[in-house]
Amino acid sequence: MSDDFTHRVLPYDGVEEFLGGAVPFLRDGIDTGDRVLAVCGSARRMLLSDALGPAAGAVLFRDAASWYRHPSRTLADCLGDADESSRQGRRLRLLGEPAWASRSPLEVVEWERAEALLNIAIRGTGAAVLCPYAASLPAGVVAAARKTHPETVRGTRALRNPGFVDPWTFCARCDADPLPPPPAGADTLELDARPDLFWLRAWVTDCARPTPLPEEGRQRLLVAVTEVVTNALRHGAPPIVLRMWTDASDREPALLCEVADAGRWPPGAGYGLLPPRPADTSSGGRFGLWAVRLLCSTVQIRTGDGGTVVRLRLTLPRPDRPQ
């Protein structure tokens, strides 16, 4: 098994182009004994099963809506499957068509970032990943795919993608725009050098209680806020300010919590964007920003001469949707 991984985009316009790239990719994995996964909707599963015939029994099909529920979790799942396959002496071969329907602009950015980071996360596992992108998708989504995949598939050929952007450079571009300021009525708490974490959690709980965030969500928020505040106290600079507010302007209402301090993160800090490998002990046993990303719907970080802001977003249930 090769140590090299591949991460390719399959642009397609219609069923024939989709099958023309996806079926050879899957068949090659079946023939070579790879662990073959296909992440897609029910309609694509039927098409692929018909095209593969009896060989479709060697493919593990996963539902795209579940697989692409959260970008950080999807990265972790990809890495876990790739590492497990590698330990078994096999190659992970993953056909994954990202679910872009009904994504808000903020979600689109985070999923594009995940596509870029996959090039780092699975490096060294030998995995092969092919991502179909329909021509009917928004032009910006398709254009971003050419920046986050080193190669483009045309039929059975893989061509080097001249538009590919270094993953860390791509992530920096995702964070280039400043965050919109908190609303004037945001709940605000200025923290001293040694805050009482019990009262900090009580304050966060009181702010979250009037919102429809369920109890499980409040617990995730408390753990995430405690980690981010602890990080600011250890590595940031005063003043450290905690703010909370609700936002209904996006497609999904959300509860936001922001921790701001006057410090600046050094280049290469990583922002907790990559899932840790099993042997990675760099966090020293602490919770870490990676886990904060798992707990929150979205984590946005900005750092510079004006200080550092870590903004946590937890999607709120909509009253017009059954829970």
Side-chain angles (χ1 to χ4, degrees):
M1 181 185 67
S2 171
D3 287 336
D4 296 330
F5 75 93
T6 59
H7 184 209
R8 296 167 176 164
V9 60
L10 170 62
Y12 71 92
D13 187 3
V15 171
E16 289 188 7
E17 287 190 1
F18 172 79
L19 294 176
V23 171
F25 174 78
L26 296 176
R27 282 197 183 278
D28 187 51
I30 295 168
D31 293 342
T32 56
D34 293 346
R35 184 168 183 258
V36 183
L37 273 67
V39 181
C40 55
S42 57
R44 290 284 182 263
R45 176 172 182 168
M46 291 178 62
L47 285 171
L48 291 171
S49 296
D50 289 344
L52 291 168
V59 179
L60 298 172
F61 287 94
R62 301 280 178 84
D63 176 64
S66 298
W67 182 268
Y68 291 107
R69 187 169 293 170
H70 188 284
S72 295
R73 294 185 194 122
T74 298
L75 272 178
D77 289 343
C78 286
L79 177 59
D81 283 339
D83 276 341
E84 179 60 26
S85 299
S86 181
R87 284 192 292 269
Q88 296 173 1
R90 304 173 71 194
R91 183 182 204 182
L92 173 67
R93 184 172 291 258
L94 170 64
L95 176 74
E97 184 165 18
W100 296 101
S102 302
R103 299 285 191 203
S104 69
L106 177 57
E107 289 176 309
V108 167
V109 169
E110 294 308 313
W111 281 107
E112 291 172 347
R113 187 202 303 271
E115 285 275 50
L117 291 169
L118 188 65
N119 297 293
I120 301 173
I122 65 172
R123 185 176 296 159
T125 66
V129 181
L130 181 63
C131 303
Y133 275 67
S136 59
L137 290 170
V141 170
V142 178
R146 302 185 187 280
K147 299 175 183 178
T148 57
H149 296 74
E151 295 177 312
T152 296
V153 169
R154 297 291 184 186
T156 57
R157 295 193 306 155
L159 307 174
R160 186 166 296 280
N161 198 337
F164 178 69
V165 176
D166 172 80
W168 289 121
T169 301
F170 186 89
C171 288
R173 292 177 183 176
C174 292
D175 298 332
D177 293 332
L179 296 175
D187 292 307
T188 303
L189 177 67
E190 187 165 336
L191 304 176
D192 57 31
R194 300 182 64 180
D196 186 315
L197 293 181
F198 173 83
W199 292 111
L200 170 68
R201 295 187 185 102
W203 185 84
V204 171
T205 299
D206 286 343
C207 292
R209 187 172 286 117
T211 76
L213 188 69
E215 176 61 26
E216 182 269 340
R218 286 201 293 268
Q219 293 304 316
R220 287 189 285 115
L221 175 63
L222 287 173
V223 177
V225 171
T226 300
E227 172 60 26
V228 174
V229 168
T230 301
N231 190 65
L233 291 168
R234 291 187 178 187
H235 306 293
I240 299 172
V241 181
L242 182 62
R243 296 182 177 91
M244 291 184 65
W245 70 96
T246 55
D247 178 15
S249 62
D250 206 348
R251 296 185 186 183
E252 296 288 347
L255 175 64
L256 286 87
C257 181
E258 175 182 288
V259 180
D261 71 83
R264 178 172 184 169
W265 289 12
Y271 300 154
L273 287 166
L274 290 174
R277 305 300 278 261
D280 185 5
T281 58
S282 60
S283 65
R286 290 185 57 234
F287 193 71
L289 280 170
W290 164 254
V292 171
R293 291 186 181 275
L294 292 178
L295 291 169
C296 301
S297 303
T298 307
V299 177
Q300 296 171 285
I301 299 174
R302 301 291 188 271
T303 186
D305 293 338
T308 295
V309 173
V310 180
R311 185 172 292 182
L312 314 178
R313 186 182 189 95
L314 281 84
T315 301
L316 295 171
R318 294 177 56 130
D320 58 339
R321 292 184 182 176
Q323 298 301 311

